[in-house]
Amino acid sequence: MDNENLLIYLVSDSIGETAEQVAKAAISQFVFENYEIRRYPFINEKSQITEMLEEAKQQRSIIVFTMVVKELKTFLAEESAKHNIPCIDIMSPIVEGLSGILQSTPKREPGLIRKLDEKYFRKVEAIEFAVKYDDGKDPRGLKKADIVLIGISRTSKTPLSMYLAHKNLKVANVPLVPEVAPPKELFEVPSKKIIGLTTNPMKLIEIRQERLKALGLKSEANYASIERILEELEYADDIMKRLSCPVIDVSSKAVEESASIILEIFREIGYKLTNGK
């Protein structure tokens, strides 16, 4: 009997990866190789369970399941018992234990872990996008972005890009410098996707002087002079007017506050972002 082939049926109302991992981990504890795993994912009807049981009752079988829909798992347990097929519920003991500790009712919605994984990978993708298309590195990314930030140096373009990326948004940013013409791709992007960033010139002087000190350079360099800053701001203002894009003054705002304003602007104009918000 021990050498008779064993069929392990993995039944799930989602993908069934959890059931497979647990079943493989369990059977590895035995010196037994005559087994076959059959996976039945996305079970959402009793007829599917009945069909599976008709097959399972023909041979030595065991059912391992991860189902959260109460009606279906009750049906599976009852029908398996009628055919004398061992049936193991992996999820319920853990879910019920957590429910008691958390004093909360489980959602009983299939596939939630997969949705969480997808959300995580979207965030990673958005962060990689922000890094790849930071500081105008590759203008080809402008058309792929959900949001394009433009502004002169030290107007929080990169911090804002990264903050918004953590909200699953693909953000590219472009520095505006009088001596360098903006990429032509910027003028091919819908203006509703572009946000201009500006700041108070006196505040910017302080920021740039601190930046120069951090780099070991003299604070009186042209980069931090009022003449240069006014020139840059005027140039940037002209570009933003040509693009007809909204403009945010970030001089006295934290990154979180500026990001909130940006998202509110997009909501007001009804522009659909990829994260659905």
Side-chain angles (χ1 to χ4, degrees), residues 149-169:
L149 303 178
I150 60 173
I152 66 174
S153 175
R154 316 315 294 177
T155 50
S156 302
K157 294 186 300 298
T158 297
L160 269 170
S161 295
M162 295 306 299
Y163 184 88
L164 291 167
H166 278 83
K167 293 187 175 294
N168 303 338
L169 295 168

Side-chain angles (χ1 to χ4, degrees), residues 1-215:
M1 184 70 172
D2 287 344
N3 292 323
E4 183 183 344
N5 194 48
L6 173 66
L7 287 174
I8 303 175
Y9 286 83
L10 306 177
V11 183
S12 176
D13 43 20
S14 186
I15 294 177
E17 289 179 337
T18 303
E20 183 169 1
Q21 290 171 0
V22 172
K24 285 182 175 178
I27 203 163
S28 69
Q29 299 297 315
F30 300 88
V31 183
F32 183 78
E33 296 181 358
N34 297 329
Y35 70 91
E36 178 186 341
I37 289 178
R38 294 185 181 178
R39 198 154 140 182
Y40 281 75
F42 304 112
I43 299 296
N44 52 30
E45 294 179 4
K46 290 180 179 179
S47 60
Q48 294 172 294
I49 294 173
T50 301
E51 183 181 338
M52 181 273 298
L53 288 171
E54 282 298 315
E55 179 184 310
K57 72 180 184 180
Q58 304 299 325
Q59 52 247 306
R60 184 164 69 146
S61 305
I62 185 171
I63 297 169
V64 178
F65 70 93
T66 53
M67 303 182 78
V68 294
V69 178
K70 194 169 185 178
E71 182 183 1
L72 290 177
K73 70 177 188 175
T74 299
F75 180 78
L76 174 58
E78 291 175 350
E79 293 300 305
S80 298
K82 289 179 184 178
H83 297 295
N84 294 315
I85 302 173
C87 188
I88 301 170
D89 181 355
I90 293 176
M91 289 286 285
S92 288
I94 301 172
V95 171
E96 289 168 7
L98 287 171
S99 180
I101 292 172
L102 301 174
Q103 295 293 297
S104 177
T105 303
K107 294 181 179 179
R108 300 201 178 280
E109 180 182 339
L112 286 179
I113 190 169
R114 191 173 73 255
K115 292 178 183 178
L116 289 173
D117 287 343
E118 288 170 358
K119 184 176 180 180
Y120 170 77
F121 286 117
R122 282 202 306 272
K123 181 182 291 187
V124 171
E125 184 182 1
I127 292 170
E128 290 176 345
F129 186 95
V131 172
K132 184 175 182 179
Y133 299 111
D134 180 47
D135 207 32
K137 289 176 185 173
D138 186 348
R140 292 175 299 180
L142 298 179
K143 293 182 180 180
K144 303 174 188 176
D146 296 312
I147 299 173
V148 177
L149 303 178
I150 60 173
I152 66 174
S153 175
R154 316 315 294 177
T155 50
S156 302
K157 294 186 300 298
T158 297
L160 269 170
S161 295
M162 295 306 299
Y163 184 88
L164 291 167
H166 278 83
K167 293 187 175 294
N168 303 338
L169 295 168
K170 293 180 178 179
V171 185
N173 71 76
V174 178
L176 299 179
V177 184
E179 293 78 16
V180 181
K184 62 179 178 59
E185 289 86 352
L186 180 61
F187 297 93
E188 297 169 0
V189 174
S191 60
K192 61 184 179 182
K193 289 175 57 173
I194 304 171
I195 297 289
L197 304 176
T198 190
T199 189
N200 179 282
M202 301 311 296
K203 181 72 174 179
L204 190 56
I205 289 174
E206 294 176 17
I207 294 172
R208 289 193 175 185
Q209 285 179 342
E210 290 300 318
R211 177 63 175 165
L212 289 171
K213 287 178 184 177
L215 295 172

